[in-house]
Amino acid sequence: MVDRSIDVRAATPRVQVFIPTYNRVDRLRAAVGSVLAQTWSSVEVVVLDNHSTDGTNEVMQSIVAADPRVRHVRRSSNIGMFGNLNAIAGLVDGDFFAMLTDDDAYEPGFVETAVRLFDQWPDIDLVACDAPARYHGVIKGSQMDYWKEGYYRAGSGVLNCLFNHYPLITNCLFRARLRGEFHFCPELGNTGDAYILTSVFAAHATYVSHYRSGYWNNDGDNASSREGFNPVVIANTALTEYRLYRQRTRDGRFDRRWLVVAWLRCWMTVLVAADRAGFAALRRSTRLDASFGPVARIVLAVVAWSRIIRIVPGILTIIRRWQRARTNRVGRSRAR
């Protein structure tokens, strides 16, 4: 809940919320409206219109005319999803920024809750709030089920991220100095947000809040749902991700102990893909040979042949249930 007992500072920090969009004018109205309805007044909406052709331009002109806090950046041509997303970093000139997808919306207290936490914890660079997954209107759990609320020093939240329990990037508020970290690697596809957040948790102090700031709406029409399970894409993504983490380790921005976990994650992902597509077929269709030496490829082939990877999902399910139960127990004990 927003604490209104704290007065707004004389120099009110300005928050920018960027909304990348393409041909979703009906949903865009709700997204923009949810930002304008924030209890924090010093907020700016920047709509990055990737040359929509469905009337978005006309609707945005009327919204901009009605509220000076809204800015419409219309592309003269479609620059692709990643080009549109990666333009955000160059437009950040406020104190804090966030990215909201055009088919989601914020609860009114999101920005104020996050800014208050930045006030209370001056060394943090990110506040991540709760946003449960909602499938066709039915809530199916949240990434925050695996997190305890509170302050996380640099590096202390990385393991959760590498286990795919990273927060939703759309419900995070970033300090402006993190604009350089806000880059979606096209080779990572729809998992680019995971890499960004894992990198931030590795190198920066953060705060995880259980304040429900919105929902992740999945009605089967988002990019991840449409793509489905593609063994070649999944294997190449895992190989690219590990290469990027290895580079960050060489640069001193990613601890070697986390690189070991990233390496194991890469191996398991490749083995899962090989179990679906066949190891030989995967070698022909991916960058596997360029990523692993001869000995590693032999080991991978033997493990793939043994099919032992098929027991891993069950083990991971048990671990996740234990994590959720442990997090819930800690939350209940703190509440008492």
Side-chain angles (χ1 to χ4, degrees):
M1 181 177 293
V2 177
D3 184 357
R4 301 190 180 282
S5 65
I6 307 174
D7 293 332
V8 177
R9 299 181 304 185
T12 304
R14 183 164 64 92
V15 176
Q16 294 174 290
V17 177
F18 295 90
I19 306 179
T21 190
Y22 176 68
N23 282 353
R24 279 184 165 180
V25 65
D26 292 334
R27 299 186 182 190
L28 179 62
R29 287 190 183 95
V32 173
S34 75
V35 181
L36 296 178
Q38 291 295 299
T39 56
W40 188 263
S41 60
S42 185
V43 64
E44 177 188 23
V45 187
V46 184
V47 174
L48 304 179
D49 177 7
N50 208 4
H51 199 69
S52 297
T53 57
D54 64 344
T56 293
N57 187 43
E58 292 74 20
V59 169
M60 285 307 307
Q61 286 179 3
S62 64
I63 293 176
V64 170
D67 197 315
R69 295 176 296 167
V70 182
R71 184 160 34 128
H72 179 212
V73 179
R74 177 170 169 78
R75 308 294 179 200
S76 58
S77 61
N78 191 310
I79 61 174
M81 180 179 72
F82 293 106
N84 204 29
L85 290 171
N86 288 333
I88 291 174
L91 295 172
V92 174
D93 58 13
D95 300 285
F96 304 99
F97 71 97
M99 181 198 76
L100 176 65
T101 47
D102 58 6
D103 59 343
D104 289 318
Y106 287 142
E107 292 297 308
F110 164 58
V111 171
E112 185 171 357
T113 297
V115 172
R116 301 298 188 196
L117 288 168
F118 277 109
D119 281 342
Q120 294 172 32
W121 302 90
D123 65 323
I124 63 174
D125 287 326
L126 167 74
V127 170
C129 290
D130 191 15
R134 191 162 57 182
Y135 293 80
H136 301 284
V138 179
I139 296 175
K140 296 289 188 178
S142 169
Q143 294 287 66
M144 291 304 171
D145 293 343
Y146 302 93
W147 295 80
K148 293 178 286 187
E149 170 151 357
Y151 172 92
Y152 286 77
R153 69 184 187 280
S156 59
V158 174
L159 190 58
N160 256 359
C161 292
L162 289 175
F163 279 171
N164 280 340
H165 303 319
Y166 51 90
L168 288 185
I169 198 167
T170 52
N171 293 75
C172 293
L173 191 64
F174 297 81
R175 200 180 288 277
R177 62 172 170 247
L178 285 188
R179 64 172 71 86
E181 296 276 13
F182 205 82
H183 177 80
F184 290 81
C185 175
E187 290 180 273
L188 294 180
N190 297 323
T191 66
D193 55 343
Y195 175 73
I196 291 172
L197 289 170
T198 305
S199 300
V200 169
F201 273 93
H204 302 267
T206 59
Y207 191 96
V208 170
S209 170
H210 282 178
Y211 171 77
R212 184 168 292 186
S213 58
Y215 297 90
W216 179 58
N217 293 308
N218 184 354
D219 295 330
D221 59 349
N222 59 37
S224 299
S225 298
R226 290 195 302 268
E227 186 173 274
F229 187 94
N230 185 318
V232 172
V233 171
I234 287 173
N236 275 333
T237 298
L239 296 170
T240 298
E241 184 182 66
Y242 177 66
R243 174 175 56 81
L244 292 172
Y245 285 136
R246 193 170 54 192
Q247 182 60 55
R248 291 186 73 89
T249 302
R250 286 195 288 264
D251 295 342
R253 296 180 294 165
F254 200 75
D255 196 287
R256 289 191 178 277
R257 57 181 172 158
W258 302 126
L259 187 63
V260 173
V261 180
W263 176 79
L264 288 171
R265 169 189 163 112
C266 176
W267 270 60
M268 286 197 300
T269 304
V270 168
L271 287 169
V272 168
D275 189 53
R276 182 72 63 90
F279 188 74
L282 205 67
R283 285 185 63 183
R284 291 193 299 269
S285 306
T286 67
R287 295 186 293 273
L288 194 149
D289 281 3
S291 303
F292 295 109
V295 174
R297 291 200 300 270
I298 292 172
V299 173
L300 279 167
V302 170
V303 176
W305 173 80
S306 73
R307 306 294 189 187
I308 195 171
I309 194 66
R310 293 182 178 181
I311 71 172
V312 171
I315 295 173
L316 292 177
T317 297
I318 294 171
I319 292 173
R320 285 168 180 160
R321 287 176 180 170
W322 174 80
Q323 282 183 300
R324 292 179 70 172
R326 182 174 179 273
T327 302
N328 290 336
R329 283 198 302 271
V330 171
R332 286 195 296 269
S333 66
R334 286 187 175 180
R336 289 195 293 267

